[in-house]
Amino acid sequence: MRLFLAIIFIVTSCVTVTAQQFNIIGVVKDSITNEKLQSATVYLESVKDSTLIAYSITDAEGVFTLTANTAYEKVNFITSFQGYKNYTAFINLTDGRDLDLGEIILSSDIEALNGILITARKAPITVKKDTLEFNAKSFNTRADATLEDVMKELPGVEVDKDGKITVNGKEVSRILVNGKEFFGDDPQIALKNLPKEIIDKIQVTESKTDTQKATGEAGDANASEINITIDEDKNKGWFSRLTAGGGTDERYSMSGIANYFNNDFKLSVLGSSNNINSPGFSFDEIYDAMGSSAYSISRSSNGSFGINGQNFGGSGGITSSDSAGLNVSNDWGETVSAQMNYFYGGNDTRSAADSRRETFLPDRTFITESSNRGDRLGDSHRISGRIEVKPDTLTSFNIRPNVNLSNNFSNNTSSSISSDESGAAINEVSTSSTSDSDNQSLGANFSFSRKTLEKGTYFGFYGNANTNQSDAQSDFNSTRTTFDEFSNPETPVIQDQLINNNSKSSSFSFTPYFNKKLTDALGLALNYNVETGNQENKRSIFDRDGSGDLFFNNTLSNDYEVKNTQQRPSLGLRYNKGDLRLDVYAGVIHQTLESEDILLNTSFDKEFTDPYVRANVNYKFGKYGRAYVNYSNSINVPSVRQLQPVEDRTNPQNIVIGNPDLDASQQHNIYFNLSRYDWEKGSGFYSGGGFTYTDNSVAAISTTDADLIRTTTYTNINGEYNGYLYTRFAKTWKKDAREIGVDLSLNGNLSLNKGFTNGTAFQSENYSFTPGISFEYSLQDYIDVELEYEISANRTQYDITSITEQDFVNQRVALDITTLWPEHVILGIRGEYNKFGNITGDFDDDSFVLIGSLGYKFAKDKATVKLKAYDILNQIIDTRRSITDDFVADTSSLVLQQYFMLSFTYKLSKFGGKDPNKEKGF
């Protein structure tokens, strides 16, 4: 650690310069009308090397303020606005650092308006209605930067260690490339693999559905999407990256991605293979695939991961995975565009877990110590696509088909022993099972929209159709032994069964709509939602006798079918004027529920009618502020397992019986978001939260006998709720090549859950409170340092007489250091310390994970060789505490441990007949 602190000090001292603050004000106007121009971009660049120093956007009065710190004395002042000629002026800051430029007069760019190409300097930030547009080349990053590196430099944009992107507190739902999805709607592949050198603009807008894009309707004010536009010079060519590595303990990792762009046609291929718990193509420039693996374990407490709908690994374990993908898209003029992507995922996961669980009953508690071991093999195929047809400028049709196929095989063993508070054994259970399953799902989302010649009036429909089928066969064996009051074992109960489980489900949703503009600010919206669903579950249990013969068990088998329908007509008013947007919808939800058990020859019908309300308010205040509030209600039908009145003895310690008399639950949801981030000054906050109140929620009724055999069924109960709250304040100080950032965060959660155990009603209240602070220091082309600390306080209160509350505190400290000096050498150190509170003495309660990477670039930075180390101190653990309504469990699971790896990466690219790696700046 002293070495890295010394590096920070030396490098900082060597390049430290005297930077002084300046303040420049003015107002931007039209040359002919003298109208004040709102949302014009003003910025300063150094004369020496065109380094971006500061930028701003004019307000509603055309006024701007440029305030920053710089050591540059000679700068260029530039004003840019769409449809106008750029205004450029030279400023010598030695003449004064508090300047009033007065009126900046912009003249119309007639040539640009007439469609003649004009070569002009691009502004770093441009505001176009509800789109915030960044010029990627205005933000300094290292030469081999990816889209992720650029995103981290953009004001108001945050990219966390898991790749989650937020813009002013709003999560980014997807990343598009030239308006098209890149390997589906998962943003990770584009984020990790698109090189900066091909990126022209980064456009941030509200997340919109296909229908909203076709009609021009406002999108989701609480979610964002990002569109990456490719530089015209780079929109014809190819780029690729290949990485291969081998290490100690037979660890290996290989990955590659190749992309070919030819204007409207795009083709991308990727693949990976590794045994280090990584998707492989989720690439980290410093740590390759190892970086995502390290943080998925320490942050998620398991070895699992997922990308683009494919999940690998499990809850604690080591996964070997193979994956491959293909993405292709093309446009045929303005009429037809199509896209298709395919993913293959294969995994082999070895898992192991030991746990200690304390269960609370009204009159006593008992302890269960268990051990689980398992292996899981799986193959999956995912095909999805999108076809858009626009026969004319008023009509649009979209269809998004998808196909998912998977096969899984698992082999699991477990053993457990339960004892009372004095330590006397009550029962002992051992199980073994093998399972083989085939799963398939087919579906499609579709939409049609048609604008009329009357402005603001349009109609159409949207919907989806899905079908799923799963066929599974399990070989299950268990032995349960109970002990008498003298701790003597009684005759064991053996369960030796073959279980066939076949399930099918289908759903269809169709919503026609009509929207009409009543006034410039007020609109009317009509829609009628119709949904149908069907679930079939056939479970056949065969008992084995001593000779291995099979006998059908009619009592434990079932053949169950559930049908449900929903109709929801609604009427809405939409108000949009100035900074206020208000949507209010009201209607009626009518649902029917039909259930039939063919084996038992029983059936029942239910109907539910409830009001439907959905409302949201979006308000912009000032230049940077935004407030959003949303309310909605919904009805949720119980699952087949909760409804079917047949014993499920798959877990011999917990026998589950459904209740066909369950009603649908009603949920009331409210969400809010408040943000104000001044990206000019690099400071601001965002805050949000949500609360859900549920009536008729499905709650468990459990009865535990003297031998600790639990029988569970279900009932409806009122008054459950859960909620969360988050807030964050960020401040950045920037002086030319140096940047310092501080983040303060606060998160909280609460919930109230209810149930019944041994005839006694109980409830548990859960609270968590997590403050955090992070610090970041960056010296361009030399060093980046990130330091994080958070503490999480948790409390669960019970009204069961055997226990009143559980409290524990977790702490986490993380350090991330990257040095880019000397030239061509990249050194990275990433460490994380976790302290787990109130863990029983049988498990480790702290862990320090340290990984490192030392890389050298050569062959004009096309090739990189790296030595990487994972879990350098050999201290990683997977220990976690789980608290539920009536038990507390501590679990320790198998995790990937220390290894060292040597890897080689090579990049190739060619655009427009030129090698971009030879161009200046790349």
Side-chain angles (χ1 to χ4, degrees):
M1 181 62 69
R2 292 180 179 177
L3 172 63
F4 294 107
L5 292 177
I7 292 174
I8 295 173
F9 175 77
I10 293 171
V11 174
T12 304
S13 300
C14 292
V15 298
T16 297
V17 293
T18 303
Q20 299 182 33
Q21 181 172 304
F22 63 85
N23 189 62
I24 302 174
I25 61 174
V27 60
V28 180
K29 293 184 177 182
D30 182 278
S31 61
I32 299 176
T33 64
N34 207 37
E35 178 185 357
K36 298 173 181 177
L37 299 179
Q38 183 180 4
S39 298
T41 305
V42 294
Y43 55 104
L44 286 186
E45 288 182 349
S46 68
V47 173
K48 180 180 179 181
D49 54 11
S50 298
T51 297
L52 179 65
I53 299 171
Y55 47 87
S56 180
I57 300 292
T58 57
D59 61 18
E61 297 299 320
V63 175
F64 67 86
T65 301
L66 284 172
T67 302
N69 294 277
T70 185
Y72 291 107
E73 296 178 347
K74 297 179 180 180
V75 299
N76 287 321
F77 170 83
I78 304 163
T79 303
S80 174
F81 194 61
Q82 188 174 14
Y84 290 80
K85 293 180 180 179
N86 283 359
Y87 174 92
T88 303
F90 170 78
I91 297 177
N92 192 335
L93 293 178
T94 59
D95 297 335
R97 291 193 168 244
D98 290 309
L99 302 175
D100 185 349
L101 300 184
E103 295 183 351
I104 306 298
I105 306 300
L106 298 186
S107 58
S108 297
D109 194 338
I110 303 300
E111 291 180 325
L113 295 175
N114 288 335
I116 299 175
L117 180 63
I118 300 296
T119 301
R121 191 173 300 175
K122 295 179 180 179
I125 294 181
T126 305
V127 177
K128 299 177 180 179
K129 294 185 179 180
D130 292 330
T131 300
L132 186 61
E133 184 177 277
F134 299 95
N135 176 28
K137 293 178 177 59
S138 295
F139 298 90
N140 291 322
T141 57
R142 62 177 183 265
D144 58 354
T146 63
L147 173 60
E148 181 177 20
D149 299 313
V150 183
M151 297 290 291
K152 290 179 178 179
E153 298 299 317
L154 303 182
V157 178
E158 293 293 326
V159 183
D160 67 13
K161 290 294 189 300
D162 300 317
K164 176 183 174 182
I165 310 169
T166 56
V167 180
N168 294 337
K170 297 192 297 181
E171 185 172 354
V172 173
S173 59
R174 59 180 175 175
I175 293 179
L176 307 177
V177 178
N178 280 354
K180 304 293 190 303
E181 293 174 354
F182 190 69
F183 280 103
D185 57 4
D186 192 306
Q188 291 296 304
I189 299 178
L191 188 69
K192 299 287 188 180
N193 290 282
L194 286 180
K196 178 187 177 182
E197 64 195 62
I198 72 169
I199 300 171
D200 182 23
K201 298 183 180 67
I202 300 172
Q203 299 166 334
V204 182
T205 63
E206 292 179 344
S207 182
K208 290 188 176 185
T209 64
D210 291 333
T211 299
Q212 290 168 336
K213 289 181 178 179
T215 61
E217 182 183 342
D220 183 356
N222 194 50
S224 297
E225 72 178 32
I226 290 175
N227 180 48
I228 307 300
T229 65
I230 303 301
D231 195 322
E232 285 188 22
D233 294 339
K234 308 298 188 300
N235 208 21
K236 193 171 184 179
W238 55 271
F239 62 96
S240 62
R241 188 209 74 237
L242 299 172
T243 297
T248 59
D249 295 331
E250 299 182 342
R251 298 297 168 202
Y252 66 89
S253 177
M254 297 176 288
S255 67
I257 183 170
N259 304 271
Y260 172 73
F261 290 178
N262 189 354
N263 296 323
D264 292 331
F265 178 79
K266 296 177 178 61
L267 174 67
S268 299
V269 180
L270 57 78
S272 74
S273 179
N274 69 83
N275 61 357
I276 58 171
N277 285 13
S278 172
F281 40 79
S282 185
F283 187 77
D284 186 297
E285 194 69 34
I286 308 300
Y287 300 97
D288 295 339
M290 185 179 69
S292 58
S293 170
Y295 275 91
S296 69
I297 292 174
S298 59
R299 290 172 182 270
S300 302
S301 297
N302 62 55
S304 64
F305 56 88
I307 189 164
N308 202 32
Q310 304 285 47
N311 292 310
F312 306 85
S315 180
I318 299 174
T319 297
S320 300
S321 67
D322 301 300
S323 57
L326 170 72
N327 185 84
V328 60
S329 65
N330 194 27
D331 293 343
W332 290 269
E334 300 292 331
T335 304
V336 179
S337 65
Q339 179 178 355
M340 186 277 291
N341 64 73
Y342 164 78
F343 269 96
Y344 163 77
N347 66 86
D348 181 355
T349 299
R350 178 168 57 94
S351 62
D354 298 305
S355 66
R356 182 184 185 275
R357 171 169 148 172
E358 184 176 8
T359 303
F360 314 117
L361 299 175
D363 56 346
R364 68 189 191 280
T365 65
F366 64 90
I367 307 295
T368 301
E369 295 180 338
S370 62
S371 177
N372 299 275
R373 302 291 183 268
D375 289 287
R376 182 176 183 273
L377 296 169
D379 290 289
S380 58
H381 305 266
R382 180 179 184 270
I383 304 172
S384 62
R386 177 176 181 261
I387 301 173
E388 182 178 24
V389 180
K390 294 182 177 180
D392 54 56
T393 58
L394 301 176
T395 309
S396 175
F397 176 75
N398 280 272
I399 183 168
R400 294 174 176 265
N402 62 82
V403 178
N404 290 276
L405 306 172
S406 66
N407 173 265
N408 298 287
F409 175 82
S410 63
N411 183 9
N412 298 282
T413 61
S414 69
S415 61
S416 67
I417 184 167
S418 299
S419 55
D420 61 21
E421 296 166 283
S422 67
I426 301 174
N427 69 34
E428 187 176 43
V429 179
S430 63
T431 68
S432 64
S433 66
T434 60
S435 177
D436 195 358
S437 66
D438 289 294
N439 310 280
Q440 65 179 39
S441 66
L442 307 173
N445 296 330
F446 54 86
S447 66
F448 168 81
S449 64
R450 170 74 180 179
K451 297 179 183 178
T452 68
L453 297 178
E454 183 181 353
K455 184 179 179 180
T457 300
Y458 52 91
F459 61 90
F461 60 81
Y462 58 87
N464 61 75
N466 296 279
T467 178
N468 302 276
Q469 180 172 336
S470 176
D471 299 305
Q473 185 176 78
S474 302
D475 208 323
F476 181 79
N477 184 279
S478 73
T479 302
R480 174 168 53 87
T481 304
T482 57
F483 300 87
D484 61 22
E485 57 184 323
F486 302 106
S487 298
N488 297 315
E490 299 178 342
T491 302
V493 177
I494 297 176
Q495 187 175 335
D496 191 0
Q497 297 174 330
L498 179 69
I499 304 173
N500 291 327
N501 201 87
N502 307 104
S503 63
K504 295 180 180 179
S505 66
S506 61
S507 64
F508 178 76
S509 174
F510 182 75
T511 306
Y513 64 86
F514 174 76
N515 285 24
K516 180 178 177 59
K517 204 164 190 179
L518 302 178
T519 68
D520 288 340
L522 189 64
L524 178 70
L526 297 171
N527 63 62
Y528 198 106
N529 171 252
V530 178
E531 296 183 9
T532 64
N534 186 75
Q535 301 178 65
E536 299 178 36
N537 186 274
K538 185 176 182 180
R539 183 179 176 88
S540 302
I541 309 293
F542 298 89
D543 292 320
R544 284 193 180 89
D545 61 11
S547 62
D549 293 331
L550 295 173
F551 298 91
F552 183 70
N553 189 322
N554 189 75
T555 303
L556 300 182
S557 301
N558 67 74
D559 191 347
Y560 208 70
E561 183 176 10
V562 177
K563 298 179 181 179
N564 66 283
T565 66
Q566 174 180 288
Q567 298 185 63
R568 192 192 67 207
S570 64
L571 171 67
L573 289 176
R574 312 175 70 176
Y575 179 84
N576 191 347
K577 186 176 183 180
D579 295 326
L580 177 64
R581 196 170 87 204
L582 172 65
D583 296 338
V584 179
Y585 291 84
V588 175
I589 301 177
H590 179 74
Q591 282 195 332
T592 64
L593 185 63
E594 302 175 15
S595 176
E596 180 181 10
D597 192 313
I598 296 173
L599 286 181
L600 297 180
N601 194 27
T602 61
S603 63
F604 69 88
D605 300 335
K606 288 179 178 291
E607 291 191 18
F608 313 95
T609 302
D610 291 272
Y612 167 72
V613 178
R614 180 169 66 88
N616 60 74
V617 180
N618 186 34
Y619 179 69
K620 298 178 182 178
F621 55 94
K623 193 174 179 180
Y624 313 100
R626 174 185 163 276
Y628 174 80
V629 180
N630 173 272
Y631 167 83
S632 64
N633 69 327
S634 60
I635 293 179
N636 299 306
V637 177
S639 67
V640 172
R641 189 185 187 198
Q642 294 168 336
L643 288 168
Q644 55 189 14
V646 179
E647 288 187 359
D648 182 352
R649 291 179 173 265
T650 305
N651 182 349
Q653 289 286 91
N654 186 24
I655 302 168
V656 179
I657 307 173
N659 177 8
D661 295 323
L662 289 174
D663 288 330
S665 59
Q666 295 88 36
Q667 283 191 337
H668 302 270
N669 311 284
I670 189 168
Y671 174 84
F672 80 92
N673 177 275
L674 179 67
S675 65
R676 188 186 185 281
Y677 186 86
D678 184 342
W679 42 264
E680 297 175 13
K681 297 181 180 178
S683 66
F685 75 93
Y686 61 81
S687 181
F691 185 81
T692 298
Y693 181 86
T694 306
D695 277 330
N696 274 339
S697 58
V698 178
I701 302 177
S702 298
T703 302
T704 305
D705 64 18
D707 295 327
L708 303 185
I709 307 303
R710 174 179 291 198
T711 302
T712 300
T713 187
Y714 302 96
T715 189
N716 291 112
I717 198 168
N718 293 328
E720 290 193 331
Y721 59 79
N722 63 80
Y724 64 93
L725 181 69
Y726 63 88
T727 187
R728 176 175 171 272
F729 173 80
K731 174 63 178 176
T732 301
W733 294 269
K734 189 172 183 179
K735 296 183 179 180
D736 300 329
R738 290 180 298 166
E739 185 173 316
I740 297 175
V742 176
D743 285 7
L744 302 174
S745 63
L746 180 63
N747 299 282
N749 293 272
L750 79 161
S751 64
L752 174 67
N753 301 302
K754 299 181 179 182
F756 297 86
T757 181
N758 283 12
T760 300
F762 73 90
Q763 66 181 34
S764 63
E765 296 178 84
N766 304 282
Y767 308 92
S768 68
F769 180 75
T770 307
I773 183 172
S774 66
F775 168 84
E776 182 176 355
Y777 175 82
S778 175
L779 183 60
Q780 185 182 324
D781 295 331
Y782 286 93
I783 191 169
D784 291 298
V785 179
E786 294 182 48
L787 180 64
E788 301 176 28
Y789 173 74
E790 70 176 24
I791 182 170
S792 176
N794 302 267
R795 166 171 289 189
T796 302
Q797 295 180 324
Y798 302 90
D799 61 359
I800 298 179
T801 55
S802 60
I803 190 170
T804 57
E805 65 183 31
Q806 284 280 325
D807 297 310
F808 68 95
V809 175
N810 293 335
Q811 299 183 67
R812 184 181 70 87
V813 181
L815 176 67
D816 197 340
I817 300 176
T818 303
T819 65
L820 307 174
W821 179 86
E823 191 177 4
H824 305 303
V825 176
I826 301 178
L827 173 66
I829 290 290
R830 179 178 289 173
E832 182 168 296
Y833 174 78
N834 284 275
K835 174 70 174 179
F836 307 104
N838 205 20
I839 298 292
T840 180
D842 298 332
F843 301 97
D844 293 329
D845 63 354
D846 68 342
S847 170
F848 183 35
V849 184
L850 187 65
I851 67 175
S853 171
L854 178 62
Y856 178 74
K857 296 187 176 186
F858 57 98
K860 298 180 180 179
D861 285 347
K862 294 179 182 179
T864 305
V865 62
K866 293 178 187 176
L867 176 63
K868 297 168 291 185
Y870 178 79
D871 190 19
I872 296 173
L873 303 179
N874 202 23
Q875 286 196 4
I876 190 171
I877 63 170
D878 180 3
T879 299
R880 61 185 182 274
R881 164 156 287 203
S882 303
I883 296 181
T884 68
D885 301 341
D886 59 352
F887 73 80
V888 175
D890 295 326
T891 304
S892 178
S893 301
L894 173 70
V895 292
L896 184 68
Q897 293 183 318
Q898 184 186 73
Y899 69 87
F900 300 87
M901 180 176 289
L902 184 67
S903 70
F904 176 76
T905 298
Y906 197 79
K907 298 179 181 180
L908 287 170
S909 56
K910 187 176 183 180
F911 299 99
K914 297 180 180 179
D915 183 351
N917 300 291
K918 295 181 180 179
E919 297 178 11
K920 184 179 179 180
F922 299 130

